[in-house]
Amino acid sequence: MFYITIVPNKRIPHLWRVYWARERFWNGEREIQLSDLIDSQIRLMAGAISSLFLLDIKGRVLVWRDYRGDVSALQAERFFTKLIEKEGDPESQSPVAYDDGVTYMFIQHNNLFLMTAARQNCNAASILLFLHRVVDVFKHYFEELEEESLRDNFVVVYELLDEMMDFGYPQFTEAKILSEFIKTDAYRMEVTQRPPMAVTNAVSWRSEGIRYKKNEVFLDVVESVNILVNSNGQIIRSDVVGALKMRTYLSGMPECKLGLNDRVVLEAQGRATKGKAIDLDDIKFHQCVRLARFENDRTISFIPPDGSFDLMTYRLSTQLKPLIWVEAQVEKHSRSRIELTVKARSQFKERSTATNVEIEVPVPSDATNPNVRTSMGSAAYAPENDALLWKIRSFPGGKEYMCRAEFSLPSIAAEEWAPEKKPPIRVKFEIPYFTVSGIQVRYLKIIEKSGYHALPWVRYITMAGEYELRLI
């Protein structure tokens, strides 16, 4: 019969870890190390890494944290030296490599390599994500992660590695939470200091005891429109990438509930969809959202982190009507002069207005002496981009504007003719208080046990993503 003795972590009393187990026999009991007891069970779990290395640009080990004792630093250094020698080989570009029974996964940041070594079958995606999180935590502490900052903070580096990974399994990677009990100045740390509750409870992204005089939530619904139009005027690609960006300044541990005009929810509730209901697809949530609740009744319920974060991202692949349509005509009057006529037309409702509109029209690389006239806004020749840049500060819906430009060309042409490259027309814009998908926030409720009233602010904005028209 087995029973487990639980021993507290000496430095952090509220983090309990199992160190020893005892095996009881009829004739007495003997003490065995826990790693011997559960070695067979661990093989059934997701694989753990053996060691974590931080190496310089030449592959020399600067920091080594051994978690399982089955991969040496010398072994890893020899492998990485061989990898650097194969720099031109396509196989050396892979972030995952296998050598002599050990799987190595690594990323590069500035003049450092972060590498893990594992003899078990690990989830490569989660380990690479963990390495990027390690970089974020070090940058939070040292401003910039490079070899010099690493050498100046060896003590803090090892403390952080001990908390971020235990026995080869990732633990806590929230920089804000770690910084509450691991200070950059080790002399200021108190031995009896308690860890933040976020480390010991399920809400690792938010600390307790946060207080604000004015409780507010800002929610921005931002949609980026991606459109590609070919030379025949046909739309060959169109999609919308959206994000719900939040900034929360709330006291305590608030529970937030967000409702959208989701067609599934409205039809399940038997509501008539007066407005435009949408079909949410390809959704990705922040870790604070309760996924089980969303899958059950499509309710977005969460305890938000403090500050800024992306609550949700989504994608809608649908045939879109270009919000701003641009036509361009090029007339060559002679070998030494061309005339460019550009028409821009807004194809959204009159009650909306696009702002900060920029239309970049390509011109020949050897064009000179521009003469530009516009019916709205201002246009200028940008020789560094070989383009005519037309800027319109305010572009109401249902309007059409025109721009004319004349350029001089060199009278002597090259003897060897080469086909002229024709870059696309690129458009940038922002349309506030407007969404292409029609997504709407039906409600945003904030509930906290103290009963305070919070002010939610919601804003909509649509902007151009990869918006290109190959019409010239």
Side-chain angles (χ1 to χ4, degrees):
M1 184 177 78
F2 294 100
Y3 66 94
I4 305 298
T5 301
I6 307 295
V7 183
N9 186 324
K10 294 181 180 179
R11 188 165 64 82
I12 306 177
H14 292 262
L15 288 181
W16 296 87
R17 293 176 179 173
V18 180
Y19 282 97
W20 298 91
R22 286 186 173 86
E23 185 179 6
R24 177 172 290 173
F25 299 97
W26 289 109
N27 58 350
E29 59 182 33
R30 66 184 179 90
E31 199 173 62
I32 60 173
Q33 196 169 359
L34 181 64
S35 58
D36 299 330
L37 174 68
I38 62 174
D39 184 62
S40 59
Q41 280 78 7
I42 282 184
R43 291 196 186 98
L44 301 177
M45 300 168 60
I49 71 166
S50 301
S51 305
L52 191 149
F53 303 91
L54 279 79
L55 308 100
D56 63 12
I57 200 70
K58 295 182 180 180
R60 292 183 296 242
V61 175
L62 301 174
V63 174
W64 169 38
R65 188 65 182 88
D66 187 9
Y67 295 105
R68 305 180 72 86
D70 52 2
V71 177
S72 67
L74 183 61
Q75 186 178 357
E77 195 172 90
R78 285 175 180 171
F79 159 75
F80 208 81
T81 303
K82 288 192 295 183
L83 193 71
I84 293 175
E85 292 173 356
K86 298 179 182 179
E87 193 169 353
D89 190 352
E91 293 183 1
S92 67
Q93 306 301 318
S94 172
V96 182
Y98 183 82
D99 181 68
D100 194 22
V102 181
T103 302
Y104 298 93
M105 287 167 273
F106 61 91
I107 62 172
Q108 183 177 4
H109 182 80
N110 291 339
N111 57 354
L112 292 174
F113 287 95
L114 288 82
M115 184 179 73
T116 63
R119 290 193 177 275
Q120 298 185 12
N121 186 15
C122 296
N123 185 327
S126 65
I127 297 301
L128 292 173
L129 176 61
F130 171 76
L131 291 177
H132 284 286
R133 289 288 188 89
V134 171
V135 171
D136 293 338
V137 171
F138 285 163
K139 287 172 67 176
H140 176 80
Y141 273 83
F142 314 140
E143 295 295 334
E144 189 56 56
L145 177 59
E146 53 187 21
E147 184 177 346
E148 184 180 353
S149 62
L150 200 65
R151 291 183 182 277
D152 292 340
N153 296 279
F154 274 132
V155 174
V156 181
V157 167
Y158 277 104
E159 284 189 85
L160 290 170
L161 293 179
D162 284 341
E163 298 305 327
M164 287 189 286
M165 179 164 280
D166 191 13
F167 203 54
Y169 295 98
Q171 301 294 317
F172 306 106
T173 56
E174 292 288 337
K176 290 183 180 179
I177 303 302
L178 289 167
S179 61
E180 291 186 24
F181 62 93
I182 296 181
K183 309 294 183 183
T184 53
D185 188 355
Y187 294 103
R188 295 183 183 178
M189 293 184 64
E190 298 179 8
V191 178
T192 58
Q193 186 178 18
R194 294 184 60 182
M197 290 300 294
V199 174
T200 58
N201 64 17
V203 189
S204 63
W205 54 86
R206 185 180 181 90
S207 299
E208 288 192 350
I210 298 174
R211 292 288 179 267
Y212 287 102
K213 291 183 179 179
K214 189 176 182 180
N215 294 285
E216 292 180 303
V217 175
F218 298 90
L219 174 60
D220 289 342
V221 182
V222 182
E223 290 189 344
S224 297
V225 180
N226 301 318
I227 281 185
L228 180 60
V229 180
N230 65 11
S231 57
N232 298 323
Q234 297 175 336
I235 300 173
I236 58 178
R237 176 203 170 192
S238 65
D239 61 67
V240 178
V241 178
L244 271 61
K245 298 179 178 291
M246 293 194 74
R247 286 178 295 141
T248 59
Y249 306 100
L250 299 172
S251 305
M253 279 285 186
E255 174 81 18
C256 297
K257 293 183 179 179
L258 177 69
L260 303 173
N261 57 333
D262 187 352
R263 190 186 302 277
V264 176
V265 175
L266 296 178
E267 290 178 354
Q269 295 174 350
R271 289 189 170 188
T273 56
K274 295 180 181 179
K276 182 181 178 183
I278 63 170
D279 296 312
L280 292 175
D281 197 11
D282 198 9
I283 305 172
K284 184 166 64 175
F285 288 111
H286 187 273
Q287 62 174 333
C288 66
V289 176
R290 294 185 174 89
L291 296 180
R293 179 81 181 271
F294 179 77
E295 292 174 359
N296 185 35
D297 58 9
R298 305 287 284 190
T299 299
I300 302 175
S301 176
F302 58 98
I303 297 175
D306 186 45
S308 303
F309 67 101
D310 286 357
L311 176 67
M312 179 181 99
T313 59
Y314 58 92
R315 181 187 296 271
L316 296 176
S317 297
T318 180
Q319 194 70 16
L320 299 174
K321 184 179 181 181
L323 299 175
I324 295 181
W325 182 259
V326 181
E327 295 178 356
Q329 292 182 347
V330 180
E331 294 183 18
K332 291 189 177 182
H333 295 286
S334 65
R335 286 192 173 185
S336 60
R337 188 169 66 91
I338 64 168
E339 184 176 352
L340 192 64
T341 304
V342 184
K343 293 180 182 179
R345 183 174 67 252
S346 56
Q347 300 189 134
F348 46 87
K349 294 183 179 179
E350 296 180 0
R351 65 170 179 261
S352 298
T353 301
T355 60
N356 302 321
V357 179
E358 292 186 9
I359 302 172
E360 186 180 286
V361 183
V363 299
S365 58
D366 52 358
T368 57
N369 301 327
N371 183 14
V372 184
R373 302 182 304 277
T374 63
S375 60
M376 178 62 68
S378 62
Y381 175 47
E384 67 277 6
N385 297 329
D386 294 330
L388 176 69
L389 191 59
W390 184 12
K391 295 183 179 181
I392 304 173
R393 183 173 296 178
S394 179
F395 200 148
K399 297 290 184 180
E400 180 175 308
Y401 300 123
M402 184 176 292
C403 173
R404 293 180 183 274
E406 292 183 2
F407 294 91
S408 298
L409 297 175
S411 57
I412 301 175
E415 291 183 3
E416 294 183 2
W417 181 84
E420 186 180 356
K421 294 182 180 179
K422 296 181 179 180
I425 299 172
R426 293 184 173 88
V427 184
K428 296 179 182 178
F429 59 83
E430 293 180 359
I431 308 177
Y433 316 112
F434 175 82
T435 57
V436 178
S437 65
I439 189 172
Q440 292 179 356
V441 178
R442 292 170 46 233
Y443 61 84
L444 177 56
K445 300 177 182 178
I446 298 102
I447 304 168
E448 214 278 332
K449 59 184 180 181
S450 62
Y452 62 73
H453 294 284
L455 298 174
W457 304 90
V458 182
R459 182 175 62 171
Y460 301 90
I461 188 169
T462 295
M463 60 179 60
E466 295 180 5
Y467 200 104
E468 299 180 350
L469 301 93
R470 301 180 181 273
L471 299 176
I472 297 182

